[in-house]
Amino acid sequence: VQLQASGGGLVQAGGSLRLSCAASGSILSINGMGWYRQGPGKQRELVATITRRGSTNYADSVKGRFTISRDNAKNTVYLQMNSLKPEDTAVYYCNADLITVLADFPMDYWGKGTLVTVSS
């Protein structure tokens, strides 16, 4: 199983970026998906999560600016980031709780991360 994230880059404060993360491999089903981030000198923190049915949860710091969504047919989760701030600078990691053909219970998988840099 692979989670491939893309869409990071350099953007000015106030700008927007859209991250994508596609899960591939021997996947039977995907439960929750989400985005986490780790800024310079900081611990990894939750940004947003979404259930298979579309229920969402956001960190207080991104509410009203970021929107998480998913396409179950494509095994893909997205993060639309608007009104970006310098403090949003971080490596963003996608996460999926999924069941593969090799196991009958869900396991956590992580992507390698994509860097988002917001300049002031």
Side-chain angles (χ1 to χ4, degrees), residues 90-117:
V91 177
Y92 284 71
Y93 298 90
C94 61
N95 169 269
D97 180 45
L98 58 86
I99 300 174
T100 71
V101 297
L102 300 178
D104 57 2
F105 51 89
M107 294 178 65
D108 250 6
Y109 288 84
W110 292 87
K112 290 186 178 180
T114 184
L115 178 62
V116 172
T117 303

Side-chain angles (χ1 to χ4, degrees), residues 6-85:
S6 61
L10 174 64
V11 64
Q12 287 189 331
S16 299
L17 282 175
R18 188 188 192 216
L19 305 183
S20 300
C21 177
S24 61
S26 303
I27 298 169
L28 287 179
S29 66
I30 303 178
N31 300 323
M33 301 184 83
W35 291 94
Y36 294 72
R37 68 186 181 187
Q38 186 166 13
K42 298 181 180 179
Q43 291 188 331
R44 189 175 297 190
E45 62 177 2
L46 179 147
V47 176
T49 60
I50 185 168
T51 68
R52 182 171 182 82
R53 293 187 178 183
S55 296
T56 58
N57 179 54
Y58 295 92
D60 287 343
S61 59
V62 307
K63 281 181 181 177
R65 300 188 297 122
F66 291 10
T67 301
I68 189 171
S69 61
R70 65 189 282 176
D71 184 334
N72 290 332
K74 296 182 179 180
N75 288 342
T76 300
V77 61
Y78 306 96
L79 186 68
Q80 177 66 44
M81 305 185 294
N82 299 329
S83 302
L84 282 160
K85 305 175 181 179

